[in-house]
């Protein structure tokens, strides 16, 4: 099968397409014929150094997949060949999603929402589960609360805006001026141009901040939280600032979540969640996809077409 692998740790040029042996599903696993694969920041961070888990030789990056079940291993009772599925297999262990086929634990997948194309569905798992687990599981966003989403037009941010809105929250997003129309279309009540305005100068009494940037943005976010507020940061544990008494700050690392995928799919089918695949490229252009992503100016998600 065709797969994109990392020849050596380094820049986007280290991504190359190779013919590799097709995997076979084991106990409680399925083989998925990948139609589309999502591209995430963790992909290019891992490609650059292998820092996430220190993979060995010839690693294959990628976790977000949408496709069709090709074969079912022993013990799987809820999926059959031909089923359309989407998910984020094995994270943070190596999955090799940039390929024609991928093996996944059956419970790391869920039925693909019928209203989404495979490209749209591939844009959803890792970013959508990150937003869901941060806002719902960690922060327990409730109706009427004020939620600030940083980088609200980005991969996680554009989905977080919609999830917070679906939870009944009042949503404020930060984004460059050119992306304000999209963020409002996705459900934000207010949008702040972070290039022109310091958000802490115009916001207060926020219940939840979702920070996908880290660094000083996380520190500054503490200033807008009310007592009892929650700051959830995503880049890494070193980006969690020391919170004052009465405020909680935490780091969330996404994990495979069958029930979370089903919740996201339900939001999609109710018309409350729409993944945006802003850049779609063929599998052979994975290096270009990484180069675009590393510029840090994408809207929504980057997706690779495999079929």
């Amino acid at each position: 099968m065709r797969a994109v692998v990392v020849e050596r740790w380094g820049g986007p040029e280290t991504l190359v397409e190779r013919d590799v042996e097709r995997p076979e599903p084991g106990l409680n696993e399925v083989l998925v014929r990948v139609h589309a694969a999502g591209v995430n920041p963790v992909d290019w961070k891992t490609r650059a150094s292998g820092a996430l888990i220190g993979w060995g030789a010839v690693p294959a990056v990628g976790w977000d997949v949408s496709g069709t079940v090709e074969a079912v291993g022993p013990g799987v009772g809820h999926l059959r060949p031909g089923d359309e599925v989407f998910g984020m297999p094995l994270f943070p262990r190596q999955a090799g999603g940039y390929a024609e086929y991928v093996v996944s634990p059956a419970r790391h997948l869920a039925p693909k929402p019928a209203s989404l194309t495979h490209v749209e569905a591939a844009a959803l798992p890792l970013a959508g589960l990150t937003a869901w687990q941060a806002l719902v599981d960690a922060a327990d966003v409730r109706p009427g609360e004020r939620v600030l989403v940083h980088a609200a037009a980005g991969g996680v941010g554009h989905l977080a805006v919609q999830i917070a809105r679906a939870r009944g929250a009042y949503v404020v997003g930060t984004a460059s001026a050119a992306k304000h129309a999209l963020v409002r279309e996705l459900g934000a009540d207010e949008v702040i141009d972070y290039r022109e305005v310091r958000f802490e100068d115009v916001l207060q009494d926020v219940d939840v901040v979702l920070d996908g940037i880290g660094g000083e943005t996380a520190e500054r976010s503490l200033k807008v939280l009310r007592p009892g507020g929650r700051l959830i940061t995503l880049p890494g544990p070193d980006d969690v600032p020391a919170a004052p008494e009465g405020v909680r700050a935490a780091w969330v690392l996404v994990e495979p979540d069958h029930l979370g995928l089903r919740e996201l799919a339900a939001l999609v089918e109710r018309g409350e969640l729409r993944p945006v695949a802003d850049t779609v490229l063929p599998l052979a252009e994975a290096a270009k996809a990484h180069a675009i992503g590393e510029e840090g100016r994408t809207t929504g998600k980057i997706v690779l077409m495999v079929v």
Side-chain angles (χ1 to χ4, degrees), residues 153 158 178-187 274 276 299-300:
H158 87 284
K179 300 177 181 180
H180 282 201
L182 172 65
V183 177
R184 289 188 182 278
E185 179 186 338
L186 295 174
R274 176 173 62 91
V276 174
T299 299

Side-chain angles (χ1 to χ4, degrees), residues 11-22:
E13 72 281 357
T14 65
L15 291 174
V16 295
E17 188 176 308
R18 291 282 184 264
D19 287 326
V20 302
E21 186 176 351
R22 194 178 86 170

Side-chain angles (χ1 to χ4, degrees), residues 39 74-76 78 81 91 128 131 154 157 226 248 254 281 295:
V39 178
V76 178
H78 67 287
F91 187 87
R226 65 164 181 79
R248 183 167 67 90
V254 67
L281 296 168
E295 293 175 356

